[in-house]
Amino acid sequence: MTQSTLSREETKQTLPNWISGKATFSQSEHTLPVLSPHNGEVIAHVPLSNLEEVDYAIREARAAQKSWADTPVKERVQVMYRFKQILENKIDTLANIIHIENGKTIDEAKAGIQKGIECVEYAASLPQISGGESLNVSRGVECKMFRRPLGVVAGITPFNFPVMVPLWMIPLAISLGNAFILKPSEQTPLASIELAKDLKEAGLPEGVFSVIHGDKAIVEALCDHPHVKAVGFVGSTPVAKQVYARTTHLGKRARCMGGAKNHLTVVPDADPEMASSNIVASVTGCAGQRCMAASVLIAVGDVDHIIQKVYEKMQQVIPGRNMGPVISQRAKDRICGYLNRCEQGGARLILDGRETSSEGSEHGFYIGPSIIDHASPGHESILDEVFGPVLTIIRVDTLEEAITIENNSPYGNAAAIYTCSGRVADTYRQRVNAGMVGINIGVPVPREPFSFGGWNLSRFGDGDITGASAIEFWSQPQKVTTKWESRHRENWMS
Ligand code: NAD
């Protein structure tokens, strides 16, 4: 894997916010270093913006939103057509930024951008899929539904997909006539400014999109601000829960996606080659830092031949070569902590990634793939979101037991089964407790127009973060009932 570097000048820079269509440096004296996961070096500094700057960004956004909302939707989405083209043209540059700040491989970074581009396409199709409705509801009386924007809205995003997750929200929210304020993760803040520049190049009017850097204080300020009408959040479950409570307590909309603990189930009739490759990809892709990543494998009956293949293929995943580092030393320590306690508790660690480092990047946050076998259902590595390349295997005798274990998880983002039987797959699908289900697919991310969203502790608020229900979230329906003639006396509404 190539390790990209930034120039000395770039590493010294404190990143700007993006307000009113331009890079705007924060007056705050407080910054955080952004560390390269590849080698631990400082690659930039992110400002912890102050509350006056939040207020200023919202004022500018409000001013811009009024004329943006008056722009016909067919004109608004022209920005999205151009934005899509720009993203496609500079996918290499963007992927490299993600690679540098997040640690993903270039291919993983590109895949995330491509999924984001799909959300841009979906937003561009708004006039076709959400043009409003009208019906003759009674003689001489017509009802129409107009979809109106909310005003200024905000999105708060995690470190693990610096482009894709913002693009789950930005294109739709903006195309619906809102002004959008993004608070990106302070661990991966670089790509957000690129998105701002790209939107400007695509013709988005100044102030309709802003970026404000910071941490908890900025998130709280956005939730609390009377002129922020809705908050979309993607991140860990405890924070999703807090942001949801804080925002909805004020009578505002919030849709908050949380963490995950995804269970895969493999039964003896599964295709060994397909299942094993897919399980390994699900565990190790993005170094296990995906809310859709496999975390628990429930092995039903005699599937040793498949587990053996998983073990062999997992050994071919080499940190620094075909798998990136995790985001921080803290994340690495947390993951190793699970493995340490697991070993002390007597579980079988059949593949141990703790001692791994990547040649030439000894100070990077690398950790190799790990497998814990014969874990008991109550084990912490079964219950908690580990968020690293760790697979915990539970052995059971029946599909019934497997479904019970999966159903007991308080999360509900994704679940998958490996089988060649349609009947088994369908039983599993009907009884599993997750919003996104894979049949022989370990990362069952729905492609647009199918929407993305989990259940239970993986989501606070109703509806999904993309797709049709996101159109509902970022807009409000206005119903207009009209009568122009008085002659229709038989109408009970008159
Ligand atoms: P995180 O919750 O630590 O941070 C997410 C955002 O919240 C960041 O912008 C951060 O600055 C902010 N934040 C952090 N602590 C806060 C606090 N106390 N109050 C207010 N704001 C706060 O998440 P992360 O570590 O950046 O991302 C990984 C997590 O995101 C994992 O749990 C993963 O499963 C989850 N995730 C979920 C989805 C999904 O769709 N369900 C998608 C991607 C990631």
Side-chain angles (χ1 to χ4, degrees), residues 434-448:
M436 293 172 280
V437 179
I439 313 291
N440 298 315
I441 293 188
V443 182
V445 175
R447 305 265 320 249
E448 306 305 315

Side-chain angles (χ1 to χ4, degrees), residues 193-484:
I193 296 298
E194 286 302 307
L195 291 180
K197 289 180 193 162
D198 297 343
L199 281 163
K200 182 174 184 168
E201 190 186 334
L204 190 71
E206 291 175 359
V208 177
F209 177 69
S210 321
V211 177
I212 185 121
H213 293 292
D215 57 9
K216 179 180 177 186
I218 298 299
V219 174
E220 292 182 348
L222 288 169
C223 295
D224 294 352
H225 200 289
H227 294 309
V228 172
K229 301 297 180 193
V231 173
F233 173 92
V234 180
S236 60
T237 288
V239 184
K241 193 173 177 181
Q242 280 171 32
V243 168
Y244 183 77
R246 192 169 186 119
T247 311
T248 54
H249 178 72
L250 295 169
K252 302 195 232 181
R253 295 176 181 201
R255 188 163 287 180
C256 302
M257 303 291 135
K261 188 73 190 172
N262 304 317
H263 290 57
L264 310 185
T265 294
V266 60
V267 301
D269 78 350
D271 176 329
E273 213 36 58
M274 181 164 79
S276 56
S277 301
N278 202 263
I279 291 165
V280 171
S282 180
V283 178
T284 61
C286 303
Q289 301 174 116
R290 291 189 283 196
C291 67
M292 298 295 278
S295 186
V296 174
L297 179 66
I298 311 177
V300 180
D302 182 7
V303 290
D304 278 351
H305 58 299
I306 300 175
I307 306 277
Q308 178 60 25
K309 278 185 182 291
V310 169
Y311 171 74
E312 285 162 14
K313 289 178 182 171
M314 206 91 123
Q315 284 179 308
Q316 289 160 22
V317 179
I318 313 292
R321 191 185 302 163
N322 51 1
M323 184 174 76
V326 295
I327 189 66
S328 62
Q329 185 62 44
R330 198 161 144 234
K332 182 174 173 178
D333 292 345
R334 193 196 61 242
I335 298 161
C336 288
Y338 278 104
L339 297 172
N340 296 344
R341 291 189 297 278
C342 188
E343 198 174 40
Q344 288 152 12
R348 274 194 245 164
L349 199 52
I350 60 171
L351 188 63
D352 182 357
R354 282 175 295 183
E355 292 306 319
T356 317
S357 74
S358 173
E359 208 181 312
S361 303
E362 286 73 14
H363 300 295
F365 312 131
Y366 288 95
I367 181 163
S370 303
I371 304 177
I372 304 164
D373 200 357
H374 292 278
S376 60
H379 195 280
E380 60 171 342
S381 68
I382 300 288
L383 302 176
D384 298 354
E385 181 177 41
V386 177
F387 223 52
V390 177
L391 182 67
T392 306
I393 303 176
I394 311 182
R395 308 283 186 144
V396 298
D397 294 325
T398 64
L399 182 64
E400 192 61 34
E401 286 173 87
I403 291 172
T404 304
I405 290 169
E406 193 284 334
N407 285 179
N408 284 340
S409 170
Y411 296 94
N413 219 39
I417 188 160
Y418 295 93
T419 178
C420 289
S421 158
R423 187 178 56 79
V424 168
D426 208 43
T427 304
Y428 181 82
R429 197 275 304 159
Q430 285 177 39
R431 296 188 46 205
V432 84
N433 197 14
M436 293 172 280
V437 179
I439 313 291
N440 298 315
I441 293 188
V443 182
V445 175
R447 305 265 320 249
E448 306 305 315
F450 297 97
S451 54
F452 188 100
W455 294 352
N456 312 320
L457 291 187
S458 296
R459 181 191 63 187
F460 298 85
D462 59 350
D464 289 341
I465 196 78
T466 72
S469 72
I471 298 177
E472 297 288 334
F473 180 72
W474 297 116
S475 66
Q476 48 198 344
Q478 182 178 55
K479 288 74 55 183
V480 179
T481 308
T482 311
K483 187 174 89 167
W484 294 109

